[in-house]
Amino acid sequence: MSACVKENRNIGNLEDHSIGSAECQSLFCSDSARSGSSGLKRKRPLEEDNNGHMCQLRFIYKKLSWSEAPKNALVQLNELRPGLQYRMVSQTGPVHAPVFSIAVEVNGLTFEGTGPTKKKAKMRAAELALKSFIQFPNAPQAHLAMGNISNPSADFTSDQADFPDTLFKEFDELGGIVPEPEVPKSPVALLNELRPGLRYACLSERAEGRRLRSFVMAVRVDGRIFEGCGRSKKLAKTQAAQCALQALFNIRTAPEGRTRGDCVFQDFADSIFHLVREKYRSLVGGCSPAHARHKSLAGIVMTRDLDLRHAQVVALSTGTKCINGEYLSDQGQVVNDCHAEVTARRALLRFLYAQLELFLSKRPEDWDESIFVRHKECSYRLRDNVHFHMYVSTSPCGDGRLNSPYEITTDLHSSRHLMRKHRSHLRTKIESGEGTVPVRCRGPVQTWDGVLQGEQLITMSCTDKITRWNVLGLQGALLSHFVEPVYLHSLTVGSLRHTGHLGRVLNQRQERLGPLATTYRRNQPLLSGLSCADYQQAGKASCVSVNWTLGDAQLEVVNTATGRRRDSGTPSRLCKHTLFTRWNRLNRKEVRSLRLLLTRPHSEAKMAARPYQTVKQQWFRSLQETGLGTWVKKPPEQEQFLLSI
C-alpha cells in the first residue's frame, strides 16, 4: 500500500473538496460530530441451531458478562477519566429546533458532540472520546494504558476482545457453531474509530487520457498531515489513512487488491526506486566507503510504454552541494551544480548524445536500436513508446521542500481555517552549504568580477530547475537543434516529500505561460512517493558527487567544491566543455549540419536555438508577471569559450 505522504505540523482537519492552486480557499473546519446511535453495544448472541445449543451458549455468555446493567458513555468515560470538564461550544438553529455543540478534552484531544439537547450533545462527545481509545485491536491494553486497572479483560465493547478464545473454544467442544472470522476493517474505517470526525481533502487531480487518473488526498491527524495517492479518491484516502495508522499507532493493515491502474502509482514507483537503488549498489561495490555514502540519490529510468520487464537505468548521480564561486571556469571545465537531480539530468544528456550517434551510424542495424526516429526533415524525436522516469531520494530543494504549505488561525474551534496563498517563489541554493533562500539579488545576471571578489554565487534551486524542465525539456538548448523536447513522464520522491504541495508548485508556475511554440508543452509528470520511505542518511553531506551514464564502465567522482574530478582535478565528463565537444562531433555527422556554428562560442551555439530561447524567455517573463521572482543567471563569461579545432 502506498505511503506517498509528507507530515506537516500545525494544520487543521481537512474537508473533502478539491483545492485550487490559484486562490486561497477555506480548507479546515471544526470537527462536527456525525449523527448516529451509541457506539457501545454488546456482541450479538449467536442464533440457535437445530440441535438446541443456544442454552449452552447463553450459559457461557452469562458467566462472562457483567451482572449490572450497561453503563452509558458518560458514566464509563468518567470512570476511565474522572473529573473531565465539558464546555459549551455553540448553539445554532432556530429556537424551536436548536442544535447544541459540547466538547470535552481527553488526553490532549478535543471531542465535540452535537445534539438537540445539551445532554445528548454531551453524551455524543463522551461516545466519541470513548471510541478513541477502547476500539484498539486489544481493548484491555488500551484500558490499562488509560489507567483503568480493574478487571481489564472484561471488555465486550472491543472489536477484538479477549473473551472469544474462552467463549468459542468451550462452545466448539459442545458441537456448536464455529464463528466466521471477522472481515478486517479498511484503514479509513479503523482510523475513524481511533480518531473520529476526520475529514479528507483532495489536494490534486490529474487525468492522462482515458486510461490514467491520479488523485492526491490528505487527512490531518493529531496535528500532522498525511497524504495518499491513487487512481481514485477512495484509494488515495485508503493510502493516506494507512500511513497515519502506521506512523501514529504502529498499525500495519494488509494491502488490498490493486488494479493495473494502481500499479502505475505505487508498484511502478516502487519498481523505479528499486531499479535505481540496485544499480547504485552494484556500481559502488568496488568504491571506497566514502563514495558509497550519500544524502541524495537521483536516477533516470527508461521504459518502453510502462513495461518494467525491459526497463533500464540510463543515468545516475548523487550530491547535495554546489561549486565555490572562486572555482568558476571561463572555459566551461567545471560542473557548477552537483545536486543529484541536476547531475542526473546532465548524465542523461550523454545518453541522448549516444543514442543520436547510434541513429547516425552507417550500420542499418544500429538505427533500430536507437530511441530516436527522424521527424520531418530537420529534426529527430523519441519513439512514441519511450518514457523517462526520475527517482529522487529526497524532495527537491527549494519551494518543493517547504514543510508546511498550510496555516491555521489561533482559534482552534473557529471554522475560518485558511490555506495560505502559496506563492511558489523562486529560491536559490546556498554556496558551500545546504538549503535554499528566496531570490534576493539586484539584477538577473551575476557579474564575473563580483563573484571572484567574494560575492556569493547564486544557483537556482532544484525545484526551480525541474519546473523549467517541464516547460523547456531535459535536452537543453544545444540538443534542441536536433531533437524535439524530451520530458519526464514521472517523478518519484523517496523522503521529505509532500506530493500534493510539490504538484501545486509545478503546476502553478505554468498557469500564465500562454501558447507555446510547436513541440513544446506544459508537461506535468506523474508524481508519486514510496510505500516504504527511503530515508536519507544522517550526518554531514559528503563533498563529492558521483555520476554514471548507461555505457560507462564505472562511476566518476566529482569534488563538489571545485566542480572537477576528485582524483585528478581534470574536467568532468559532465562539464559544459565536454558536452559542447560532443555536440560539435554530432554536428559534423548530421546531414543538416550547422557549419557556421562549428567555429562559434558555446554561448552563440545555444542562442542559435531560436524556438528554445523564445520559450525560455516566455517562461522567465511568466515568473516575473506572477510575482514569483527573477531567474538569476551565472556570469556570461563562463559561456563564451571556444573549442580548439
Side-chain angles (χ1 to χ4, degrees), residues 38 43 45 153 175 201 215 237 245 329 368 373 395 408 436-437 466 567 569 573 611:
S38 172
K43 289 189 178 290
S153 62
F215 295 90
K237 286 175 64 174
L245 288 170
S329 170
D368 293 334
V373 293
S395 191
I408 63 173
T436 59
V437 294
I466 291 175
D567 53 358
R573 57 194 179 193

Side-chain angles (χ1 to χ4, degrees), residues 264-284:
V264 174
F265 299 107
Q266 199 50 64
D267 292 342
F268 186 86
D270 288 344
S271 297
I272 295 297
F273 157 63
H274 287 298
L275 285 168
V276 172
R277 184 184 62 178
E278 293 310 310
K279 173 57 69 173
Y280 177 73
R281 287 178 175 176
S282 67
L283 290 169
V284 300

Side-chain angles (χ1 to χ4, degrees), residues 127-148:
E127 291 173 359
L128 293 174
L130 282 172
K131 284 186 177 181
S132 72
F133 56 83
I134 65 174
Q135 295 296 325
F136 280 89
N138 194 331
Q141 289 185 7
H143 279 290
L144 289 172
M146 293 296 296
N148 179 28

